Amino acid sequence: MTDKSFSDNSWYDQTISDIRTIRFSNPEKVLSLARGMMARAESERNTGMIGLAQFWIGDAYFTLMDSENSIVHIHEAMKSLNDAGDYNHLGQCYNLLGIIFTHQGDNSSAFQSYIKGISILRDHPEYNHLGAMLYENYAELCERTGNPLDARKMYLRSLIYCERLHTKDSPYSGLLPVLYREMVLLEICLGNEGEAREYLRRLNREIVDSKEEKECFEQYVVLLLFSAFKGRKERAEFYEKQALDSYLKLEYPIDAFWTTISFLNHLESEEKYSEMKTVLDHMDHGLDRDDFPDFQARLTGYRIRMAEFYGNREEELIQCRRYRHFMTERTRIQNHTLNFLMEMQKSLDQSEEQNILLEKRANTDALTGIPNRAHYNETADRLLQQCLQKQEIFAIEMMDVDHFKQINDTFGHRAGDLVLKVVADSLRKPVSDRVQVFRYGGDEFTILYIGMAEEEIRKTAEKLRSDIYSSLESSKLPEATVSQGVCYALPTKLNRVWDFASQADAAMYQMKRSGGDQIRIVTKETFVLPSYGGESGEDE
């Protein structure tokens, strides 16, 4: 598959921008745009874009309160995004799953989803948007499960990420006001007037004249609760009316569910049951499915208490039956979710295993089965830096099969290939973290020695040669010898891998010119420029 970056394609850029603009206000349009995006991505075999399109489809279904379809598409998105190496949007999938599971009342699965998202964030701390969202939603989960102090810690972590990416014209500029609103409500819950006032001041600085009904409703609820907290009854009543008016204009009230719960709690504390019924009826109109039974059970709990208040036993019995139905449905969905998570993890594990296998194939020499030159280039650079930091000796050996062309010409290429395999198998035996072997190309091999003294390097190199000769003899293949050149030193900041490799190569070729079947070890206390032949260092 071809993984093309959507950032280089203006059509994808525009489509994604349009989706973000109408994400909450018009999810049906989002579905249409995302499906068109997926069709194009599939025709281009663009794995990353297929995954992102599936994500937006799942997100739209969530807004439409269709959790089953949402989870199905998020699952498909995660497989494609994982294959494409798009860990940013993979983390966003985990974030959305956490939200869905929270809404279903499955806090355990929500917790697992957020933790998996955070594990991605730890490897990629530059994903500021992901960090802001994950920690904010994780904080909400802590708050809903009765852990306000943990919630505060998570909100503060979210704030760090949020402030890194926050600018007036940023597509993520709406995250900071959301976070400030949550922190105002949390500090009110904890009884901290000073902190609540400070976050409210920051919130008012961010919000000027919003035209989004969801944002207006949430803002009015925050102002209502702060006014009630301060005992300002008239101001609280004003914001209560504004909040109710804004709420009734919400086309998708589920997007503001937890703010609605805070609003309902306030109305219940004031015994304003008529207003409560209005709010519940509007939310029930959108929750006509059993996809979010935990939400429905919570809302039904308010109706039960309302019936108790009015002494309406018949209505109370009806609502108790509804409550039992929703709790039964919640259990069913949690079991279904568990099966889904197990299947999703199995799918991701299979994808990860496939990627590891492909990477191994890319880094392995097809003939001999040992790491190839590409893997050598990557590994040598990393180990050189490791030795520099730890002030350990770094050494490279270049090894070449003597008169290999004559073996091919005399006995055939099949015999030559078998000789190379025997050499590789012999080199493989002593491999450890301190000795790593590679096929450099043709009949040449290279060995890296890490943190080994000169004498230990010499003994290891001599044993490698001895093992090769023993293996060749027992295999009854044509006789062959090897020439070895080793360069070792404590590396400096100016050294590069080539400084070592070039001098080891020169030492090896000097042995070949002397007839082969010899080892030469060279060293210098310090060196920068590579040597291309002749004497190099002290002859050992």
Side-chain angles (χ1 to χ4, degrees):
M1 279 190 161
T2 302
D3 292 326
K4 300 176 183 178
S5 172
F6 63 81
S7 61
D8 296 332
N9 191 304
S10 60
W11 185 87
Y12 284 124
D13 281 343
Q14 185 59 53
T15 302
I16 292 168
S17 176
D18 292 343
I19 286 174
R20 284 183 172 139
T21 301
I22 61 173
R23 178 183 180 186
F24 298 113
S25 62
N26 195 345
E28 290 92 350
K29 180 64 173 176
V30 170
L31 281 175
S32 176
L33 291 172
R35 283 169 177 155
M37 179 174 153
M38 188 164 69
R40 177 166 178 167
E42 286 176 339
S43 70
E44 296 175 351
R45 303 178 69 195
N46 188 330
T47 310
M49 271 301 106
I50 291 172
L52 193 51
Q54 289 278 23
F55 168 78
W56 287 119
I57 292 172
D59 184 75
Y61 273 123
F62 171 69
T63 300
L64 291 167
M65 291 171 285
D66 185 346
S67 65
E68 186 172 350
N69 269 317
S70 179
I71 289 174
V72 167
H73 286 281
I74 293 301
H75 183 201
E76 293 301 316
M78 294 175 78
K79 290 190 290 187
S80 295
L81 293 169
N82 189 62
D83 288 344
D86 186 350
Y87 300 111
N88 186 7
H89 288 104
L90 180 61
Q92 292 187 40
C93 287
Y94 280 121
N95 180 66
L96 182 54
L97 282 178
I99 295 171
I100 294 172
F101 296 147
T102 300
H103 286 192
Q104 292 180 339
D106 190 350
N107 294 329
S108 177
S109 295
F111 171 77
Q112 291 177 31
S113 295
Y114 291 138
I115 291 300
K116 287 183 178 180
I118 288 171
S119 69
I120 291 175
L121 190 64
R122 286 171 180 156
D123 293 332
H124 300 277
E126 70 276 12
Y127 295 163
N128 293 318
H129 179 222
L130 178 61
M133 292 192 306
L134 273 170
Y135 279 115
E136 192 263 336
N137 289 314
Y138 187 24
E140 283 191 20
L141 179 62
C142 293
E143 194 174 354
R144 308 305 170 204
T145 53
N147 297 288
L149 296 180
D150 287 338
R152 177 192 278 166
K153 292 178 183 178
M154 297 303 108
Y155 279 133
L156 290 174
R157 290 184 185 179
S158 176
L159 186 60
I160 292 172
Y161 283 100
C162 207
E163 290 178 338
R164 287 178 187 172
L165 56 79
H166 184 67
T167 60
K168 184 177 180 181
D169 298 325
S170 167
Y172 310 117
S173 58
L175 284 173
L176 201 53
V178 170
L179 190 55
Y180 286 150
R181 277 193 290 267
E182 294 292 342
M183 297 185 79
V184 172
L185 297 178
L186 177 63
E187 296 300 344
I188 290 174
C189 176
L190 292 171
N192 298 325
E193 179 186 341
E195 288 82 354
R197 183 188 299 277
E198 170 59 22
Y199 288 122
L200 183 60
R201 183 188 67 78
R202 296 188 191 183
L203 176 60
N204 289 331
R205 187 180 61 198
E206 296 294 330
I207 302 294
V208 185
D209 294 316
S210 174
K211 296 181 181 179
E212 292 285 337
E213 290 301 337
K214 176 177 178 290
E215 194 170 82
C216 289
F217 167 63
E218 292 178 332
Q219 180 74 355
Y220 285 134
V221 169
V222 168
L223 293 170
L224 159 65
L225 296 180
F226 185 76
S227 298
F229 177 61
K230 291 289 293 174
R232 297 170 180 169
K233 188 173 180 60
E234 290 185 6
R235 186 172 294 183
E237 289 180 350
F238 169 77
Y239 288 127
E240 180 186 300
K241 183 179 184 305
Q242 296 297 317
L244 185 58
D245 289 344
S246 295
Y247 177 76
L248 294 176
K249 295 176 183 177
L250 292 177
E251 188 173 359
Y252 302 102
I254 191 174
D255 287 334
F257 182 83
W258 293 112
T259 305
T260 303
I261 293 297
S262 297
F263 188 34
L264 283 168
N265 288 340
H266 168 78
L267 293 174
E268 186 174 21
S269 70
E270 296 292 318
E271 296 186 348
K272 294 188 176 183
Y273 293 106
S274 176
E275 290 83 352
M276 280 180 65
K277 185 177 184 305
T278 300
V279 171
L280 289 168
D281 288 346
H282 186 58
M283 180 64 81
D284 277 349
H285 178 70
L287 281 171
D288 55 357
R289 302 167 56 98
D290 284 348
D291 284 7
F292 299 105
D294 187 66
F295 277 16
Q296 291 157 314
R298 287 174 183 268
L299 298 174
T300 303
Y302 290 106
R303 291 192 183 275
I304 291 172
R305 292 192 293 276
M306 285 170 59
E308 288 176 344
F309 178 81
Y310 287 117
N312 189 337
R313 298 305 179 189
E314 183 178 354
E315 177 66 15
E316 183 180 348
L317 180 60
I318 291 172
Q319 296 303 328
C320 283
R321 287 171 177 165
R322 291 185 72 219
Y323 184 85
R324 184 175 65 181
H325 164 74
F326 292 136
M327 295 305 290
T328 300
E329 186 64 15
R330 186 178 82 163
T331 300
R332 184 192 69 79
I333 288 180
Q334 286 179 347
N335 290 335
H336 178 74
T337 297
L338 178 61
N339 290 331
F340 159 76
L341 288 174
M342 292 171 65
E343 183 63 30
M344 181 183 70
Q345 191 59 52
K346 179 181 176 182
S347 176
L348 290 176
D349 288 344
Q350 289 174 344
S351 178
E352 187 68 23
E353 288 172 4
Q354 185 177 16
N355 288 338
I356 290 172
L357 179 60
L358 290 173
E359 182 179 356
K360 184 177 181 180
R361 287 177 179 173
N363 290 327
T364 302
D365 177 60
L367 175 65
T368 63
I370 65 174
N372 60 17
R373 183 168 179 174
H375 194 41
Y376 157 76
N377 290 336
E378 177 185 334
T379 305
D381 285 333
R382 174 174 56 82
L383 293 180
L384 175 62
Q385 291 305 311
Q386 175 184 306
C387 287
L388 177 62
Q389 292 171 4
K390 295 183 177 181
Q391 278 299 285
E392 294 180 333
I393 289 176
F394 178 78
I396 291 181
E397 174 182 334
M398 303 301 291
M399 175 188 289
D400 189 88
V401 179
D402 297 325
H403 314 297
F404 186 70
K405 185 176 183 303
Q406 293 180 18
I407 295 174
N408 278 333
D409 292 344
T410 304
F411 300 98
H413 288 280
R414 172 63 177 164
D417 287 347
L418 291 174
V419 167
L420 293 177
K421 287 182 179 181
V422 169
V423 171
D425 289 341
S426 301
L427 293 176
R428 203 196 310 261
K429 293 176 184 177
V431 171
S432 69
D433 289 340
R434 298 202 302 157
V435 181
Q436 298 194 33
V437 302
F438 309 84
R439 185 183 180 191
Y440 196 72
D443 58 334
E444 196 165 2
F445 299 84
T446 186
I447 299 109
L448 301 178
Y449 299 90
I450 308 302
M452 297 174 67
E454 175 187 349
E455 189 59 29
E456 190 176 3
I457 294 172
R458 180 194 300 281
K459 288 181 179 179
T460 303
E462 289 175 346
K463 185 178 187 309
L464 290 176
R465 183 172 57 165
S466 174
D467 288 346
I468 290 170
Y469 293 171
S470 296
S471 297
L472 285 171
E473 183 178 355
S474 62
S475 65
K476 299 181 180 180
L477 287 170
E479 291 185 5
T481 59
V482 294
S483 294
Q484 298 164 267
V486 182
C487 178
Y488 77 92
L490 278 173
T492 71
K493 291 182 179 180
L494 296 177
N495 288 144
R496 298 294 180 266
V497 169
W498 180 246
D499 297 333
F500 291 83
S502 60
Q503 296 205 33
D505 202 49
M508 182 266 290
Y509 273 105
Q510 186 177 4
M511 295 300 93
K512 289 184 75 68
R513 288 194 296 270
S514 301
D517 191 19
Q518 300 178 68
I519 300 174
R520 178 175 170 81
I521 299 177
V522 297
T523 185
K524 282 189 173 181
E525 292 300 322
T526 60
F527 59 87
V528 179
L529 296 177
S531 171
Y532 293 97
E535 293 295 323
S536 176
E538 299 177 5
D539 190 349
E540 302 288 347

